[in-house]
Amino acid sequence: MASPLNLHAQAEALDKDDSLKHLRDEFVIPSLGDIKRTTIQKDASVQETAESAASCTYLCGNSLGLQPKRTRTRVQQYLDTWGTQGVQGHFKPLDDSPLPTWLDADAHVAQKIAPIVGADESEVAVMQTLTANLHLLMTAFYHPDPNGKHKILLESKAFPSDHFAVLSQIYHHGLSPETSMVTVEAPSSEDNVFSTSAIQDLIAAHAKDTALILLPGIQYYTGQLMDIPTITDFAHKHGIFIIWDLAHAVGNVPLHLKEWDVDAAAWCTYKYLNGGPGCIGGMFINSRNSLVTTQITDPNPERGYGKRLSGWWGNDKGTRFVMDTKFHPVKGAAGFQLSNPSILDITSLGASLEVFELAGGVSVLREKSKRLTAFLEHCLGSMPDNVKKLFRIITPTDPERRGAQLSLLLLDGMLHTVMKELTDRGVIVDERQPNVVRVAPTPLYNTFKDCVDFIEAFEPALLAAEKHKTA
């Protein structure tokens, strides 16, 4: 069993050798005083101590990423553009601003996010929000035949919004989830970890009447990384269209959506991409699924864009402001856009994507991420036996089968006390009812010391919860 002093020494050595440690300075790290305050602003009459000024231990990037410092600068530049230029901001570039015109903002950010998901720029659109994008994709590609392929396959513990979206799509087509929804069940419902072979077996068993598959790239509850290329290929061999929810995978693990021949995917940008709460989402559509088969000069160009929904921001940029009622879809994923996007959201997201460029891309971050998560696992394993009996890790132990997260399953009745004790000790993590604590060391801003700090708070939190439970 490693002593606390030994763990601190190991963390100090690992942090010293970390080639990405400078990126932490790109982020606003809440202080201990910040997370305990009940106001936005500090009370000037209360003197700040060294303890209250110290950074909290923030291990919750899988729920909401921290704010990049440059976000405030970029948002102020956006506000200044709006304030000084008004409507001209749509078209007028400014010599002293790094921001694109509002007309080009979506394309500008799509260019930055394409390498993060491993796609061509034309296959990516920054638009809407995650669930809205899933609905748009299912509207375009789920066309059930009650007498043929009509089922949607998803995991039994899918994120609730995914489950709701599938249910509503099935009802929308006049079908019943009892006959048209198939769920992948994990061998242990408590752990909820899937094997690729079990997913393949279910696909094969329902292939003749399955129209669509919706699966997570990383399962939110456990942090398990799915074998996206293998499952995608298996679905294709059975003639099934597959959509991936990449909310917990984008910015977390390297993705190669084009190389893997993924059909379509959607994601949010407020977790590992640090876009801010509720920030704009993103969508990938394989180029073979977004073909436009008519030309602008055709009398009825809308006949050539398939069954997608349409809106004016998906209209060809060259004719968008002509105000003609004939829809001329942009080629690629951009043609699936509906309304003009929130420039405030895009500006915030773009600021964070600049930091990804500084890091050298997701593959570089992934190597640090694996080291961080392995060290956290090592720290958990070093805890005394009487403490380790109070929880267990349900995330796969294989580093290649997990992202930047360890999910800790507590004994029944301990979660509320543990979370309160952690917060009181300046540690921010995420909980999932009824018994799981999700801990996510994020390579852009977390340190190896953060892992030790978590352990030093987690042990007394567990003991306090055990005492409270037996009192």
Side-chain angles (χ1 to χ4, degrees):
M1 180 176 67
S3 69
L5 286 176
N6 189 29
L7 289 177
H8 275 288
Q10 292 175 47
E12 184 178 357
L14 289 166
D15 283 327
K16 184 178 180 180
D17 290 340
D18 177 17
S19 62
L20 299 177
K21 58 180 176 286
H22 61 287
L23 295 175
R24 182 176 171 88
D25 291 335
E26 291 283 336
F27 291 86
V28 180
I29 313 290
S31 70
L32 293 174
D34 289 335
I35 64 172
K36 293 181 179 180
R37 213 169 43 243
T38 57
T39 60
I40 298 174
Q41 299 297 330
K42 298 177 182 177
D43 186 342
S45 66
V46 178
Q47 186 173 1
E48 189 173 56
T49 65
E51 180 182 1
S52 65
S55 298
C56 77
T57 303
Y58 191 89
L59 294 162
C60 206
N62 57 339
S63 186
L64 180 66
L66 287 179
Q67 181 189 123
K69 291 178 180 177
R70 60 184 64 206
T71 300
R72 184 179 295 272
T73 301
R74 295 290 178 259
V75 168
Q76 188 60 56
Q77 289 165 339
Y78 152 74
L79 292 173
D80 289 342
T81 301
W82 181 18
T84 63
Q85 301 300 316
V87 72
Q88 293 185 113
H90 283 95
F91 309 101
K92 181 180 176 182
L94 300 176
D95 294 340
D96 59 347
S97 173
L99 302 179
T101 64
W102 301 337
L103 180 65
D104 297 321
D106 55 325
H108 177 78
V109 178
Q111 183 181 43
K112 289 180 177 294
I113 209 167
I116 291 177
V117 299
D120 291 341
E121 181 184 344
S122 64
E123 296 175 306
V124 173
V126 178
M127 56 183 281
Q128 304 296 329
T129 54
L130 172 58
T131 306
N133 286 337
L134 288 175
H135 272 299
L136 290 171
L137 289 173
M138 286 189 278
T139 298
F141 300 113
Y142 176 56
H143 304 291
D145 175 0
N147 299 313
K149 288 179 173 286
H150 61 94
K151 292 179 180 177
I152 299 179
L153 187 151
L154 72 161
E155 54 149 331
S156 59
K157 284 192 177 180
F159 198 84
S161 60
D162 288 18
H163 192 93
F164 301 155
V166 168
L167 280 176
S168 63
Q169 286 286 331
I170 288 172
Y171 284 130
H172 178 72
H173 287 280
L175 302 172
S176 168
E178 282 71 29
T179 54
S180 294
M181 186 169 73
V182 179
T183 56
V184 183
E185 301 285 345
S188 167
S189 60
E190 191 174 49
D191 288 12
N192 203 49
V193 173
F194 301 89
S195 69
T196 299
S197 60
I199 295 173
Q200 290 174 318
D201 289 345
L202 193 69
I203 292 172
H206 293 271
K208 66 179 177 59
D209 48 14
T210 295
L212 181 76
I213 298 170
L214 173 62
L215 289 174
I218 288 182
Q219 211 283 336
Y220 82 97
Y221 184 80
T222 64
Q224 178 187 0
L225 172 60
M226 300 295 189
D227 190 343
I228 299 175
T230 298
I231 296 171
T232 297
D233 182 63
F234 194 81
H236 289 169
K237 287 178 179 176
H238 289 81
I240 305 172
F241 195 96
I242 184 166
I243 298 172
W244 289 94
D245 177 345
L246 302 177
H248 289 79
V250 67
N252 180 358
V253 295
L255 298 168
H256 305 281
L257 302 185
K258 183 178 182 65
E259 179 184 329
W260 296 339
D261 199 30
V262 165
D263 290 316
W267 56 86
C268 59
T269 62
Y270 45 82
K271 301 180 189 297
Y272 296 100
L273 291 184
N274 316 301
C279 194
I280 197 166
M283 177 191 291
F284 165 85
I285 301 173
N286 194 302
S287 58
R288 60 179 158 72
N289 294 323
S290 63
L291 298 177
V292 176
T293 58
T294 56
Q295 302 297 318
I296 290 177
T297 54
D298 290 341
N300 295 296
E302 62 275 5
R303 293 179 180 173
Y305 65 85
K307 297 180 180 180
R308 73 183 80 170
L309 296 180
S310 57
W312 87 304
W313 215 255
N315 196 36
D316 184 87
K317 192 180 294 187
T319 63
R320 188 177 293 161
F321 288 88
V322 173
M323 299 315 210
D324 189 0
T325 55
K326 291 189 182 302
F327 184 67
H328 306 283
V330 180
K331 293 182 179 180
F336 283 70
Q337 295 179 103
L338 301 179
S339 303
N340 49 321
S342 164
I343 303 302
L344 180 58
D345 275 17
I346 282 183
T347 301
S348 180
L349 174 60
S352 179
L353 296 181
E354 291 178 26
V355 183
F356 275 85
E357 291 177 336
L358 290 177
V362 179
S363 293
V364 176
L365 291 168
R366 172 65 168 159
E367 291 309 308
K368 178 182 175 180
S369 176
K370 289 194 286 189
R371 293 195 301 273
L372 271 171
T373 310
F375 183 65
L376 174 61
E377 188 176 25
H378 166 67
C379 292
L380 289 164
S382 74
M383 299 175 76
D385 289 342
N386 67 308
V387 178
K388 286 193 290 186
K389 72 179 183 180
L390 303 176
F391 75 95
R392 62 186 177 86
I393 301 171
I394 60 174
T395 306
T397 57
D398 181 355
E400 301 304 323
R401 294 185 62 214
R402 66 188 184 196
Q405 173 182 322
L406 291 182
S407 292
L408 313 178
L409 181 68
L410 312 182
L411 296 183
D412 289 346
M414 298 183 68
L415 182 62
H416 176 74
T417 302
V418 166
M419 290 299 295
K420 181 181 182 303
E421 292 286 331
L422 287 174
T423 303
D424 288 347
R425 289 171 168 79
V427 175
I428 304 296
V429 292
D430 183 62
E431 65 176 284
R432 282 295 179 265
Q433 298 288 343
N435 299 315
V436 167
V437 173
R438 303 191 308 164
V439 189
T442 304
L444 278 171
Y445 48 77
N446 280 127
T447 64
F448 293 91
K449 179 180 178 298
D450 286 335
C451 297
V452 180
D453 290 344
F454 168 75
I455 295 299
E456 292 188 335
F458 189 46
E459 180 174 333
L462 286 168
L463 294 174
E466 182 186 36
K467 183 178 180 180
H468 181 269
K469 183 180 176 182
T470 57

